[in-house]
Amino acid sequence: MTQRRPRLVVVGNGMAGARTVEEIIDRVGPDRYEITMFGAEPYGNYNRILLSNVLSGVEAEDGIFLNSLPWYEENGITLRAGVEVTRIDRFARAVHAVDGTTTPYDKLVIATGSVPFVPPIDGAHHPRRGFHQGVFTFRTLDDTRAMIRYARDHQRAVVIGGGLLGLEAARGLQQYGVSVALLHAAGHLMNAQLDATGGDILRRSVERLGIDVVTQARTERILGRDAVEGGRLADGRTFAADMVVIAAGIRPNTTLAQVSGLPVERGIVVDDHLRVLDEPDIYAVGECVQHRGQTYGLVAPLWDQAKVLAGQLTGTDPTAAYHGSRTATKLKVAGVDVAAMGVTAPERDDDEFVVFAEPRRGVYKSVVVRDDRLIGATLVGDVSKVGFLMQAFDRGSPLPEERVRLLFDLGGPPAEVSAAELDDDTQVCNCNGVSKGALVATVAGGVRTVSGVMDATRAGKGCGSCKSLVGQIVEWAAGGEVAEDPAANWYVPGVPMDKPTLMAEIRACGLRSVSAVFAALADGREDAKSKMGLVSLLRMMWGEEYVDERGARFINDRVHANIQRDGTFSVVPQMKGGCTTPAQLRRIADVAEKHQVPLVKLTGGQRIDLLGIRKEDLPKVWADLDMPSGYAYGKSFRTVKTCVGSDFCRFGLGDSTALGIAIEERFQGLEAPGKLKLAVTGCPRNCAEAYVKDLGVVAIEGGRWEIYVGGAAGAHVRKGDLLATVDTPDEVMAVTGRFLQYYRENANWLERTYAFVPRVGVDRLRELIVDDVDGLGAGLDERMATAVAGYRDPWRERDAPATPGQFRTALPLVPLPAVPVRAEGSWS
Amino acid sequence: MTAVNGGRPTADGPVDGGPTVTAVDDGRLVEHRIGPGDDIPHGEGRAYPVAGDLVAVFRLTSGQLRAVSAVCPHAGGPLADGLIDAEVVICPLHQHVFELATGCSRTGQPALRSYPVRQDPTGTVWVSAPAARASAPPAGGDGR
């Protein structure tokens, strides 16, 4: 016996109703419910936001439809387009429609959206014929068509309402050759989103487009019997007009809910599950709802709600809850860029308010900061900083000390140049040679996420220092329609979790190998791009209990050497603190000679690099060297560079060499989210370049030591932040250990300290690591002690390969484009 | 189809441990003996010369085998050293991504050649490649 499918009835075929159904089908397919959708308009489902484009002629009508009629058919949805639902019978669980039909439901979704708000204006309604024939609202496709028809053979249009909708209507109507005036009841345009100064600057820009703007203009009466002739304002002024468009805002459409006895205040009252109050089987979604006292008239909250509701209705995510949306808007209003989020003006005495206004150029920018968090921003005319601001507003990310940087890019390095200013042929990713134009083209080709564009172009996949600029360009190119990239916060792309969640799951399930993580947390789907990050994390978490799978390691970590461009490897023996002995030098020289090493080179980390070693020769080279690995590969602790220090140097204040060796000895080979390069320098002359290291130690007068963290001198250059000043080398060692362990546990995969330290904030790090305010210290020390105790020199694998063919060549028999070997004396 | 786990063969195809090369198919593909399957650890790849080309043979975590040409068309990277999952291999030099089943690139590079590969019940791995250009072996023959 086949069971009857539950019936889902959706009242409203607009963006919210249709998106909810799409989300449901995405989750469980079309067969879970027998779905019926009612739409008051006689069309399929279209994107109402784009009606302005239809009005202004930028887009054809077909371009704005979201779901075609075949979509409804393919998914077995019964579409009742043009059929208005008149009443819900909550007790009989059925809806009555205007055509006399009764449709029973098991679950009901109300998505009736909103209706235009029409202020009381005498003469707008004809007593018997409804709206005066020259008076329009701007909400539906039919409204839009009617406005276009009328505008074509009339001269003067007046738009009532100086909000977003009114501005768009005014701009759109101009395309039909009518003269347009805009009447706004409040003191300045877009008063819901902008403060008075911003509104005035917008007004100038709008007036420059040839639209007359009248503020403080409350329309009292529309004049004309058969045709519209004009109108009169409350203060007695009059205006002439052939047509009037009322675009004074929207109100939740709650008529159906009201007549059916559902709880309605400003909107239909719903809980966090979008369930109508006290109704087990009735839900509401979109602009018709009131959630926690809020109603929304933007599209983003509607998408959020549709997701939650679909999770509820399908049972796929019964814990899904809607907690309200932070609304940020970025629009082109009547040709002027406007972005607004949060509050428009300071509300408390200690709120910071930074304002910049340049009326002549039509530029206005302001931000409101409370407790170092962005709580509001307004941009008119120049929205180049909107990407950063929206991010700071949404995620509460840290703000620059100089607040003016929130509004402007102040002659910073290229990464801080705004996306819009760059020429198309500007090279954005210097590692992989990707231009701004290539990124923009990829976005235009339909890729809408930052990671998607990075995958497609490989921008940001080299040293990674251009990632933020790539993000800004993608955002700019997508015109604010950059898709929220859920993977942005994941630790690795193949497991949908951020680092803390992932670590908690790994611990809770006792996952000790990469394959176990994929099996338990990624539906068994392996992902090559995630393997390295997981290996690093698991080794950090489990130490010796980690179950090694060689295939999960990057080649460098499989053969403990750094792959070079011709497929050969480089061998760098350990040379603690950059110190060596004649015996070691001799041995290195002998090995280089015996194996005909093509290039012997000193590294930036004060070691000797033997370059051009064939993979199959690695074990022999290591054996002949008989020195420990120097970790010139892998995401791990690499070197501690030192200067001569106090032994020979006339200026040396502390024994940097001894301390550097001690640090390198203790933390050698330690796994980390990114490579770690350290330095100890004996005086502030800084011969070991300690200020630009992941962790740098500087001896200062009085026998004390400064510890800097988060420095970099690679593709990204940054002076480290002073974390602590301590009295003894032991204290240096202790603080170093804690910092490294905190970084290991909390940094994202491949997040170098130069990004990690500013993200957390050096003040916060000092509290945690030096002052130990949260009591983390002992735990960090202990876990670090376990990690360093588990150290094994990987070059010992020379005696017994870990896998068959570990050192088998992967190079072709035909020679590759070989790296030229430099013969002695052939330089210059 | 040709999954083999822990050296316990379950492969299809005829037992044929003899000649280094056997002609099969319609005469256009020639099957080449690669060596013992145990030489290719799970989740890794190894490179083998086959008919004048270098072929990277990968063993997926599931035990299945895949074979594609071993040299990245971008800058000659050794693909057998790359990281793999069930679908792709990533070149260790510049992270170009190729589908193991088809050889197609997901990062805009020319495609790799993909080769049929199987492991026979004795645990030997065979890769089928087009017959050598100059002297195609006669059907059923074993000449090189």
Side-chain angles (χ1 to χ4, degrees):
Chain A
M1 175 180 119
T2 56
Q3 217 171 359
R4 180 179 67 80
R5 286 184 296 160
R7 292 162 300 204
L8 174 67
V9 170
V10 181
V11 182
N13 184 31
M15 297 172 77
R19 175 59 78 102
T20 304
V21 171
E22 278 177 48
E23 292 275 348
I24 288 171
I25 292 173
D26 264 3
R27 282 169 172 72
V28 294
D31 299 329
R32 164 74 65 88
Y33 283 108
E34 190 184 310
I35 303 174
T36 306
M37 298 185 73
F38 285 91
E41 292 179 62
Y43 310 108
N45 164 251
Y46 63 86
N47 184 342
R48 208 176 289 283
I49 298 167
L50 296 178
L51 284 178
S52 330
N53 288 0
V54 174
L55 177 64
S56 63
V58 173
E59 203 145 5
E61 279 183 12
D62 341 341
I64 69 167
F65 279 87
L66 294 168
N67 295 106
S68 60
L69 294 177
W71 177 82
Y72 294 91
E73 260 169 50
E74 280 158 23
N75 289 294
I77 299 166
T78 310
L79 174 63
R80 313 276 305 272
V83 180
E84 196 177 336
V85 171
T86 51
R87 197 167 62 82
I88 299 163
D89 187 336
R90 303 182 282 147
F91 307 104
R93 294 170 25 126
V95 299
H96 299 286
V98 72
D99 61 357
T101 56
T102 301
T103 310
Y105 65 81
D106 295 299
K107 298 280 178 193
L108 177 69
V109 173
I110 305 174
T112 45
S114 47
V115 287
F117 167 64
V118 180
I121 300 173
D122 288 341
H125 275 92
H126 189 281
R128 283 189 304 278
R129 286 180 302 183
F131 275 112
H132 199 300
Q133 64 151 336
V135 177
F136 304 86
T137 55
F138 185 21
R139 174 74 190 165
T140 64
L141 191 52
D142 286 347
D143 291 339
T144 312
R145 288 175 178 172
M147 281 163 67
I148 294 173
R149 261 201 313 273
Y150 212 81
R152 283 205 171 111
D153 44 17
H154 289 81
Q155 270 87 55
R156 290 163 301 178
V158 165
V159 175
I160 296 174
L164 168 63
L165 202 61
L167 284 159
E168 301 218 306
R171 182 65 172 153
L173 286 171
Q174 277 195 308
Q175 308 307 311
Y176 303 94
V178 288
S179 73
V180 181
L182 188 66
L183 310 182
H184 189 43
H188 63 269
L189 295 180
M190 286 190 78
N191 54 302
Q193 290 88 7
L194 304 182
D195 62 11
T197 322
D200 287 344
I201 287 174
L202 176 62
R203 174 191 184 138
R204 282 164 167 260
S205 301
V206 170
E207 284 174 337
R208 264 201 294 269
L209 297 170
I211 296 170
D212 290 334
V213 177
V214 187
T215 51
Q216 309 280 18
R218 201 161 62 70
T219 310
E220 199 176 61
R221 176 164 202 92
I222 286 175
L223 304 171
R225 270 183 65 87
D226 298 324
V228 170
E229 289 164 8
R232 193 172 63 224
L233 304 183
D235 57 11
R237 286 180 286 175
T238 57
F239 59 88
D242 303 323
M243 68 183 286
V244 173
V245 174
I246 301 173
I250 52 170
R251 294 289 182 269
N253 180 6
T254 56
T255 317
L256 173 66
Q258 258 164 333
V259 301
S260 309
L262 294 172
V264 173
E265 291 172 8
R266 284 194 298 144
I268 305 168
V269 182
V270 296
D271 64 14
D272 287 358
H273 293 164
L274 299 164
R275 196 187 296 262
V276 175
L277 227 56
D278 299 326
E279 292 295 331
D281 296 315
I282 305 181
Y283 298 79
V285 65
E287 291 178 344
C288 62
V289 311
Q290 174 183 330
H291 170 262
R292 296 192 187 180
Q294 288 283 327
T295 59
Y296 295 96
L298 290 168
V299 72
L302 179 163
W303 295 160
D304 296 343
Q305 292 176 357
K307 278 200 189 104
V308 171
L309 181 49
Q312 289 292 334
L313 283 172
T314 57
T316 50
D317 188 2
T319 60
Y322 179 66
H323 301 297
S325 299
R326 310 197 69 181
T327 49
T329 23
K330 176 169 175 262
L331 322 145
K332 221 178 181 68
V333 189
V336 182
D337 281 316
V338 175
M341 59 204 84
V343 301
T344 56
E347 294 169 344
R348 296 188 194 160
D349 286 349
D350 55 353
D351 283 351
E352 296 169 60
F353 188 39
V354 187
V355 185
F356 171 84
E358 196 182 353
R360 246 173 51 82
R361 219 160 52 89
V363 172
Y364 175 79
K365 307 177 180 197
S366 75
V367 291
V368 187
V369 175
R370 180 179 299 163
D371 300 332
D372 281 329
R373 293 272 183 262
L374 184 70
I375 62 163
T378 306
L379 304 171
V380 179
D382 171 8
V383 292
S384 55
K385 293 292 279 182
V386 69
F388 175 79
L389 291 171
M390 279 203 182
Q391 195 173 322
F393 179 73
D394 278 349
R395 301 182 202 158
S397 46
L399 306 179
E401 279 296 317
E402 290 174 83
R403 301 302 195 213
V404 66
R405 285 183 189 274
L406 289 166
L407 305 182
F408 298 101
D409 297 309
L410 301 177
E416 287 168 31
V417 172
S418 78
E421 292 164 25
L422 296 172
D423 291 334
D424 262 6
D425 51 6
T426 308
Q427 185 152 306
V428 175
C429 174
N430 291 322
C431 294
N432 290 321
V434 184
S435 67
K436 175 187 169 186
L439 295 174
V440 173
T442 307
V443 174
V447 183
R448 281 285 188 273
T449 64
V450 177
S451 60
V453 172
M454 283 173 52
D455 281 343
T457 60
R458 287 189 316 128
K461 301 260 173 182
C463 70
S465 65
C466 62
K467 274 186 196 165
S468 76
L469 183 57
V470 172
Q472 288 169 32
I473 291 171
V474 170
E475 204 155 300
W476 172 81
E481 280 167 29
V482 62
E484 179 61 31
D485 185 358
N489 298 318
W490 298 350
Y491 176 72
V492 287
V495 185
M497 291 174 191
D498 61 15
K499 184 167 180 176
T501 316
L502 178 59
M503 285 176 68
E505 287 291 326
I506 286 172
R507 206 167 282 125
C509 307
L511 308 172
R512 286 173 171 75
S513 70
V514 171
S515 57
V517 172
F518 286 130
L521 307 179
D523 295 331
R525 269 183 73 86
E526 265 191 298
D527 177 50
K529 288 179 189 166
S530 303
K531 288 186 173 182
M532 269 178 87
L534 290 174
V535 169
S536 166
L537 187 70
L538 291 168
R539 276 164 84 166
M540 190 269 287
M541 290 177 67
W542 295 111
E544 286 172 81
E545 289 174 60
Y546 160 73
V547 179
D548 189 19
E549 286 161 342
R550 288 286 161 148
R553 300 186 182 194
F554 185 59
I555 185 65
N556 287 6
D557 291 308
R558 281 185 226 169
V559 300
H560 320 297
N562 199 354
I563 192 166
Q564 305 294 327
R565 60 180 279 205
D566 61 353
T568 64
F569 292 82
S570 65
V571 168
V572 181
Q574 189 176 55
M575 217 175 257
K576 292 171 195 163
C579 293
T580 181
T581 63
Q584 278 186 343
L585 283 175
R586 200 170 290 124
R587 208 176 316 141
I588 292 171
D590 288 344
V591 169
E593 216 161 59
K594 175 176 172 189
H595 293 275
Q596 297 175 330
V597 172
L599 180 61
V600 181
K601 177 138 188 27
L602 299 186
T603 71
Q606 297 180 332
R607 298 178 298 189
I608 296 175
D609 196 346
L610 304 175
L611 287 144
I613 312 279
R614 289 184 302 240
K615 195 180 179 190
E616 57 272 32
D617 291 341
L618 288 169
K620 283 178 276 177
V621 172
W622 297 336
D624 289 342
L625 278 171
D626 198 25
M627 290 170 67
S629 168
Y631 290 92
Y633 49 86
K635 305 302 170 198
S636 60
F637 183 99
R638 294 198 165 181
T639 50
V640 183
K641 189 172 183 174
T642 69
C643 67
V644 177
S646 51
D647 279 356
F648 288 88
C649 178
R650 287 179 294 145
F651 305 106
L653 299 167
D655 189 350
S656 56
T657 314
L659 181 53
I661 291 172
I663 293 174
E664 186 159 344
E665 232 160 29
R666 178 159 174 81
F667 301 112
Q668 59 191 342
L670 197 67
E671 204 86 36
K675 60 187 168 191
L676 287 164
K677 294 175 165 182
L678 284 70
V680 184
T681 199
C683 77
R685 284 175 186 75
N686 193 26
C687 294
E689 298 163 343
Y691 296 115
V692 289
K693 294 294 181 187
D694 292 292
L695 185 144
V697 184
V698 181
I700 57 170
E701 194 59 57
R704 310 186 72 205
W705 302 86
E706 290 178 335
I707 302 170
Y708 290 84
V709 292
H716 186 96
V717 180
R718 180 177 194 270
K719 185 183 183 227
D721 297 320
L722 181 62
L723 178 68
T725 306
V726 299
D727 295 320
T728 63
D730 283 349
E731 287 173 83
V732 171
M733 198 69 87
V735 171
T736 302
R738 274 192 195 176
F739 171 77
L740 296 182
Q741 186 64 17
Y742 188 79
Y743 167 68
R744 272 156 49 91
E745 293 178 10
N746 293 284
N748 294 318
W749 173 235
L750 301 183
E751 182 181 35
R752 291 288 302 270
T753 61
Y754 68 71
F756 174 74
V757 170
R759 173 164 72 84
V760 179
V762 74
D763 295 337
R764 178 68 183 147
L765 284 170
R766 193 176 302 116
E767 283 177 9
L768 292 170
I769 287 162
V770 185
D771 307 334
D772 200 11
V773 292
D774 287 4
L776 302 178
L780 291 171
D781 293 347
E782 192 189 315
R783 291 190 292 278
M784 177 55 90
T786 313
V788 299
Y791 174 72
R792 302 268 181 285
D793 177 14
W795 284 2
R796 287 277 148 201
E797 272 174 22
R798 66 197 185 219
D799 302 329
T803 53
Q806 181 183 6
F807 299 108
R808 188 191 154 91
T809 182
L811 289 173
L813 304 176
V814 282
L816 287 171
V819 177
V821 175
R822 293 186 198 271
E824 226 172 318
S826 74
W827 318 96
S828 82
Chain B
M1 253 172 48
T2 52
V4 176
N5 280 311
R8 293 182 59 84
T10 58
D12 48 12
V15 181
D16 191 349
T20 327
V21 178
T22 58
V24 293
D25 241 6
D26 54 0
R28 281 178 301 173
L29 285 184
V30 178
E31 212 169 31
H32 298 256
R33 186 165 72 181
I34 294 303
D38 291 350
D39 282 359
I40 310 167
H42 280 64
E44 293 193 51
R46 297 287 182 257
Y48 301 91
V50 175
D53 193 8
L54 194 71
V55 175
V57 181
F58 295 94
R59 185 179 297 283
L60 310 185
T61 316
S62 65
Q64 289 181 312
L65 295 171
R66 297 279 184 276
V68 292
S69 40
V71 182
C72 180
H74 169 241
L79 290 172
D81 283 346
L83 276 164
I84 59 163
D85 56 29
E87 288 167 8
V88 299
V89 56
I90 306 176
C91 177
L93 289 194
H94 304 104
Q95 279 68 56
H96 279 293
V97 180
F98 300 90
E99 290 180 5
L100 288 169
T102 62
C104 289
S105 171
R106 291 189 182 173
T107 49
Q109 292 300 310
L112 306 174
R113 185 190 286 279
S114 70
Y115 297 86
V117 57
R118 68 178 180 97
Q119 180 163 322
D120 71 24
T122 69
T124 302
V125 174
W126 298 81
V127 166
S128 302
R133 298 149 302 259
S135 56
D142 59 358
R144 193 180 247 286

